[in-house]
Amino acid sequence: MLRFISPSIIRPLSANKATTVRAFSTTFISRQSVTGTTDEKSYTHIIAETKGKVGLITLNRPKALNALCSDLFTEVNEALRSYDSNENIGAVVITGSKKAFAAGADIKEMKDNTFVDTYTKNFLGHWAEMIEIKKPIIAAVNGYALGGGCEFAMMCDIIYAGDKAVFGQPEIKLGIIPGAGGTQRLVKAVGKSKAMEMVLTGNVNLNATEALNLGLVSKVFPADNLVEEALKTAGTIAEMSQPSVQMAKECINKSFEVPLSAGLRWERVFFQSLFGTADQKEGMNAFAEKRAATFSNK
Ligand SMILES: CCC/C=C/C(=O)SCCNC(=O)CCNC(=O)[C@H](O)C(C)(C)COP(=O)([O-])OP(=O)([O-])OC[C@H]1O[C@@H](n2cnc3c(N)ncnc32)[C@H](O)[C@@H]1OP(=O)([O-])[O-]
């Protein structure tokens, strides 16, 4: 069985202990998952596999159109963290079915919740854990990405869409509002007016072409090729130097959080720090010697 040791368990330990635990954890996971295509850990609501250097998570609640029940998201987080700590994995793809990436948070699960429960137990707070993942995540969206499904896709780093994808924020029709970034990330992706239209009416959905034209997704593929194309891009990313990849992801995400001057400073310091890596020497020497670089992630 694939084991995972949570970073929150590692963090409070002393530096030496943390290193030891992480090394043990990584070794154990890689032994299980490098060579095969399916991790031995089996989940109830997702399928987690490895494809070369890429982790592939397939949401698997077909009868509920991959409605994001709490347990499903817990499993996604667990799989993501295990990929994050696996030194043989360089990127992750998350996908759903042809009909639905995810039709939203699970309405039936939450319909009887009270305010006090949702507030004191931080309902759906665990969704945000995936923001801590250092490795790039590509959402490969076929079919419906509605409500929390659209927000989930936007929590990923790149979104590719199948040609029949539908993005929408219908929460207003349920008497609620988006609760996992639909009023924040969507605005940054498609602009205020379109985000307002989508969130306030609940009826204005984006098809794949519209999502592409507005910048919500970066590429559209025929539905049948979508996952393969996402895996190809993830595979390309996974071949790059991982410190560079992870710092680039962190810098781009910082641009959403901080003023330009702070973001530029952040970028400069990361850029400079990469001159302390063997991969920077390898990458630049390989260019000068007219050969392909082989990165060691050191
Ligand atoms: C993160 C914080 C904030 C987020 C909030 C949200 O996301 S709020 C949510 C925002 N999202 C929405 O409001 C979208 C809600 N969904 C829809 O509007 C439609 O399902 C559809 C248009 C996506 C597809 O229509 P279609 O006629 O092709 O298919 P169908 O309708 O027959 O569904 C098949 C089965 O899936 C079930 N199921 C589906 N979605 C959910 C769900 N979210 N939950 C639970 N179950 C769901 C559905 O009940 C049915 O089960 P049954 O009866 O067989 O046991």
Side-chain angles (χ1 to χ4, degrees):
M1 191 172 93
L2 188 152
R3 293 268 164 74
F4 167 67
I5 297 175
S6 156
S8 61
I9 297 172
I10 295 170
R11 229 174 268 129
L13 301 176
S14 72
N16 282 346
K17 278 184 187 160
T19 308
T20 311
V21 171
R22 197 186 292 277
F24 167 79
S25 162
T26 302
T27 309
F28 197 80
I29 289 167
S30 27
R31 186 153 49 85
Q32 302 296 331
S33 54
V34 183
T35 48
T37 55
T38 306
D39 282 343
E40 290 183 17
K41 164 96 189 186
S42 67
Y43 294 96
T44 306
H45 302 301
I46 65 171
I47 299 165
E49 303 164 85
T50 57
K51 303 281 188 188
K53 293 183 178 178
V54 178
L56 173 63
I57 297 175
T58 305
L59 310 184
N60 190 31
R61 281 190 85 198
K63 286 187 184 148
L65 302 185
N66 291 330
L68 302 164
C69 62
S70 203
D71 287 348
L72 183 152
F73 227 96
T74 299
E75 291 185 353
V76 167
N77 282 331
E78 186 181 337
L80 284 174
R81 284 185 305 235
S82 75
Y83 291 137
D84 219 28
S85 60
N86 183 343
E87 63 189 12
N88 298 297
I89 296 290
V92 179
V93 171
I94 300 181
T95 194
S97 68
K98 288 273 169 58
K99 178 160 182 182
F101 177 73
D106 191 319
I107 300 167
K108 294 167 191 166
E109 181 185 66
M110 68 181 155
K111 69 184 178 51
D112 296 323
N113 284 0
T114 65
F115 160 67
V116 171
D117 274 353
T118 53
Y119 182 74
T120 57
K121 294 176 185 160
N122 195 18
F123 178 59
L124 300 185
H126 66 307
W127 282 33
E129 285 172 26
M130 68 177 280
I131 299 308
E132 301 301 322
I133 299 300
K134 282 182 159 300
K135 292 175 185 172
I137 305 170
I138 301 179
V141 175
N142 269 324
Y144 296 111
L146 298 179
C150 185
E151 294 172 302
F152 183 16
M154 290 191 291
M155 285 159 70
C156 299
D157 302 305
I158 296 172
I159 308 178
Y160 282 178
D163 51 6
K164 302 284 189 306
V166 177
F167 297 86
Q169 299 287 167
E171 291 93 335
I172 203 87
K173 295 193 286 187
L174 299 168
I176 56 169
I177 65 170
T183 67
Q184 304 298 306
R185 293 191 181 94
L186 186 65
V187 182
K188 293 181 168 70
V190 305
K192 176 180 164 183
S193 184
K194 183 54 77 179
M196 283 283 188
E197 223 186 350
M198 291 172 71
V199 169
L200 297 181
T201 70
N203 283 330
V204 176
N205 293 337
L206 303 177
N207 64 33
T209 308
E210 290 165 332
L212 179 68
N213 291 339
L214 286 163
L216 178 62
V217 311
S218 51
K219 282 192 179 123
V220 176
F221 297 100
D224 285 338
N225 302 348
L226 175 69
V227 175
E228 189 190 326
E229 293 291 342
L231 286 170
K232 247 191 246 172
T233 299
T236 300
I237 294 168
E239 289 299 332
M240 301 299 161
S241 169
Q242 288 306 302
S244 306
V245 164
Q246 294 178 23
M247 285 185 199
K249 167 172 170 166
E250 190 168 344
C251 283
I252 291 173
N253 282 333
K254 270 285 169 227
S255 76
F256 291 97
E257 314 276 345
V258 300
L260 179 63
S261 56
L264 290 171
R265 181 83 195 120
W266 198 275
E267 180 190 72
R268 175 92 49 85
V269 172
F270 270 166
F271 171 77
Q272 291 166 344
S273 71
L274 285 167
F275 284 79
T277 64
D279 281 347
Q280 173 270 326
K281 300 288 175 288
E282 165 63 9
M284 293 194 180
N285 281 327
F287 175 82
E289 293 161 13
K290 300 187 189 302
R291 62 175 173 81
T294 306
F295 294 121
S296 60
N297 300 328
K298 300 280 190 271

